[in-house]
Amino acid sequence: MGFQNRDLGLALGLSGKALKSFMKMLTKMYTMFVANDCAMVEINPLVKTGDDEIVALDSKVSFDENAEFRHKDWNEMRDLSEEEEVEIRAKESGLSYVKLDGNIGCLVNGAGLAMATMDVIKLYGGEPANFLDVGGGANEEQVKTAFSIILEDPNVKGILVNIFGGIMRCDIIARGVIAATEALSLEVPLVVRLAGTNVDEGKAILAESTLNIHPADDLAEGAQKIVALIGGGV
């Protein structure tokens, strides 16, 4: 609102022509944010010129993907050269993946649980190598794809799988983990924590396999195990 624009400008020490220019820019930025379903509009740097004009020298804009159906022009503006190739492939497979700088790969279902998993890994001295959310209805093929994407990062020394089976069944995840481990000839340590729907079946499937899979009953135990198995944190 107008008075909010003015208060922000005054808080920055602006007055006169500079204040008016700032208020005009802020109003347009807000209108753009709402009209285009933005998730973020960042201006850096914002400068005041010698003649008291407020100018946005550079900016970064991201959109809320849930609103993509309303904006057919977004694909035309997309610059794939600015995106990680592996992140593009993950999205095409229905996975949410962001590469990070650590050495512990994370495979989790649910964005909130994925964030909590990364936090607990750091709590016990480790560093997550990625954010990877397989979603609530992943199948065995998606789990295999998720593993292959994690292992493309040469920094990954171990993997922590943390699944809470709500919509997703733990037995399906367990089969996917085994299939991926066999198909990719997994060599790095793997810790799997399962909870929720069909958890006993899932744990039994993992226990019956001859693969080097380390079970965990809760997230804290899982994080401690994977950090210890890779020889400590980064």
Side-chain angles (χ1 to χ4, degrees):
M1 298 180 71
F3 77 91
Q4 293 170 319
N5 277 358
R6 185 172 181 277
D7 287 347
L8 284 169
L10 292 173
L12 291 172
L14 301 176
S15 61
K17 182 180 178 182
L19 178 60
K20 290 181 180 178
S21 177
F22 174 80
M23 292 174 65
K24 182 178 179 181
M25 183 215 68
L26 205 59
T27 298
K28 289 183 176 180
M29 185 179 74
Y30 173 80
T31 300
M32 182 197 76
F33 186 100
V34 175
N36 290 281
D37 291 293
C38 295
M40 178 188 72
V41 175
E42 174 188 327
I43 295 175
N44 185 16
L46 178 70
V47 303
K48 184 177 75 167
T49 66
D51 58 353
D52 279 347
E53 288 290 338
I54 302 298
V55 180
L57 290 189
D58 197 6
S59 67
K60 180 177 180 180
V61 178
S62 61
F63 301 115
D64 182 351
E65 293 180 356
N66 294 304
E68 190 171 359
F69 69 96
R70 284 197 289 260
H71 303 276
K72 304 302 181 185
D73 58 325
W74 283 0
N75 281 334
E76 297 174 8
M77 294 187 288
R78 188 177 184 186
D79 183 359
L80 294 178
S81 67
E82 292 291 322
E83 301 180 37
E84 290 276 353
E85 184 275 332
V86 68
E87 291 181 13
I88 295 172
R89 196 167 83 253
K91 184 176 180 180
E92 290 173 348
S93 299
L95 309 171
S96 296
Y97 173 87
V98 179
K99 186 180 181 304
L100 301 173
D101 296 328
N103 57 9
I104 296 176
C106 306
L107 192 159
V108 190
N109 67 318
L113 188 59
M115 296 295 289
T117 300
M118 293 191 294
D119 285 344
V120 176
I121 286 173
K122 289 182 71 68
L123 176 66
Y124 289 107
E127 289 292 337
N130 62 269
F131 169 98
L132 198 158
D133 171 17
V134 297
N139 54 37
E140 290 186 29
E141 189 59 34
Q142 284 176 305
V143 173
K144 181 180 175 181
T145 300
F147 267 93
S148 67
I149 287 173
I150 290 172
L151 291 172
E152 283 184 28
D153 183 351
N155 296 322
V156 169
K157 295 181 180 179
I159 298 175
L160 172 60
V161 175
N162 184 25
I163 298 295
F164 180 81
I167 298 173
M168 181 180 293
R169 288 163 37 196
C170 292
D171 55 323
I172 290 178
I173 286 293
R175 291 190 184 94
V177 167
I178 290 173
T181 302
E182 292 175 336
L184 299 171
S185 300
L186 186 69
E187 297 179 356
V188 300
L190 171 63
V191 174
V192 180
R193 180 258 182 167
L194 299 176
T197 306
N198 288 5
V199 62
D200 292 335
E201 293 90 330
K203 288 182 176 180
I205 290 169
L206 294 177
E208 291 168 4
S209 75
T210 57
L211 302 171
N212 187 24
I213 298 174
H214 303 268
D217 291 326
D218 56 49
L219 176 52
E221 181 188 355
Q224 288 174 301
K225 276 190 174 183
I226 192 62
V227 170
L229 285 165
I230 67 169
V234 175

